[in-house]
Amino acid sequence: MSREPLDRQTGPVAEVEFSFRDPEYPFVSASDSEECVFELAEMVPRDGGRYAEFFNVTDVEPGRILDLTADRETVDVSLLREYEHGGLFEFLVSGDCPAFALAELGALPRDVYAADGEGRIVAEIPPRHDPCDVVDRFLDESPGAEVVRKQRKEAVTPLLPQSGFTELLAERLTDRQREVLCAAYEAGYYDWPRDCTGEEVAESLGISSATFSEHIHAAERKLLAAVFDGSGAN
């Protein structure tokens, strides 16, 4: 991977924490009604203006989360890994989600947490965006959201150290999954906003869009599941 990833770009970064109590947000209402805890593992863009949000949900029967979100038109939920008192879920969202709204404005939701009917999101705003504009627009679009704190950081926070990420690539993925993931990364598929679409990456690899989606989604899910291998969730 030769290109400089977004996570390593340097410069002043605004970190803003928001709080939410609006039960219209599934992660807020479910944390209250089910007395469970939501923690974001990672969020990645998908084609079609959607985002995949990978949540670790604890202290709940996984089936309850699937039931509670079944009638949400803007959310498709899949259980990726089940363990005692919880599971790792993929929430494919196309709206009605504060993390989605922040991402569309150019912010990077890093920490998303909900418990006891209160949600928190810590988002980083890269230097190419005006933090005041992003925050003001988000608050206008999200009634009930409140700013808890703001601070400046030196750089955007990476999800995993490079050494750990490289090890996961080697150990968890097939050669084809690794090839597709690396090609997507190099092409800017994971930049916010994206530099290319899944269709464009698929064309560069000489494969169909469906094949690209199959490999990239499998790779992402394996890497996210691996994040929790040592988390104590069994």
Side-chain angles (χ1 to χ4, degrees):
M1 296 185 180
S2 58
R3 73 187 297 275
E4 183 182 17
L6 176 65
D7 287 349
R8 289 184 176 184
Q9 293 176 9
T10 58
V13 175
E15 182 180 82
V16 186
E17 182 176 354
F18 302 91
S19 67
F20 310 84
R21 286 192 175 275
D22 190 338
E24 287 300 311
Y25 297 133
F27 79 117
V28 172
S29 59
S31 75
D32 187 24
S33 64
E34 302 302 314
E35 298 183 344
C36 61
V37 177
F38 282 72
E39 293 181 273
L40 182 72
E42 180 59 303
M43 180 176 176
V44 297
R46 291 276 194 245
D47 287 332
R50 299 185 296 176
Y51 290 84
E53 300 175 0
F54 297 91
F55 273 95
N56 189 39
V57 186
T58 55
D59 300 326
V60 68
E61 168 60 40
R64 289 292 300 147
I65 300 300
L66 298 175
D67 291 341
L68 289 171
T69 55
D71 61 347
R72 296 274 180 170
E73 294 183 358
T74 57
V75 181
D76 292 323
V77 183
S78 301
L79 176 61
L80 305 185
R81 179 181 176 190
E82 182 175 355
Y83 43 80
E84 187 176 5
H85 306 307
L88 177 65
F89 294 83
E90 178 184 6
F91 291 75
L92 190 60
V93 300
S94 57
D96 299 328
C97 169
F100 175 93
L102 282 165
E104 288 292 277
L105 291 171
L108 308 174
R110 289 309 193 191
D111 297 318
V112 183
Y113 177 89
D116 301 322
E118 180 180 7
R120 296 282 177 126
I121 294 181
V122 177
E124 294 175 352
I125 304 174
R128 66 179 179 274
H129 295 288
D130 179 356
C132 292
D133 179 61
V134 171
V135 171
D136 288 345
R137 291 170 62 190
F138 175 69
L139 293 177
D140 286 342
E141 297 174 9
S142 308
E146 297 181 358
V147 175
V148 176
R149 64 177 176 86
K150 300 178 184 177
Q151 68 179 30
R152 288 282 184 174
K153 298 179 60 176
E154 292 297 322
V156 173
T157 304
L159 172 65
L160 292 171
Q162 182 63 23
S163 59
F165 183 70
T166 302
E167 183 178 348
L168 286 177
L169 286 179
E171 290 184 354
R172 300 284 177 156
L173 307 186
T174 66
D175 291 342
R176 191 56 164 162
Q177 289 168 354
R178 188 162 54 250
E179 177 189 10
V180 170
L181 185 68
C182 289
Y185 178 85
E186 292 281 353
Y189 180 78
Y190 290 107
D191 284 356
W192 298 42
R194 273 183 174 168
D195 286 343
C196 67
T197 65
E199 288 83 357
E200 290 171 333
V201 180
E203 183 178 357
S204 72
L205 291 170
I207 60 178
S208 68
S209 294
T211 299
F212 169 80
S213 294
E214 177 185 350
H215 287 306
I216 201 76
H217 294 176
E220 290 170 354
R221 289 177 174 187
K222 285 183 179 180
L223 291 177
L224 266 296
V227 168
F228 291 99
D229 275 354
S231 67
N234 297 306

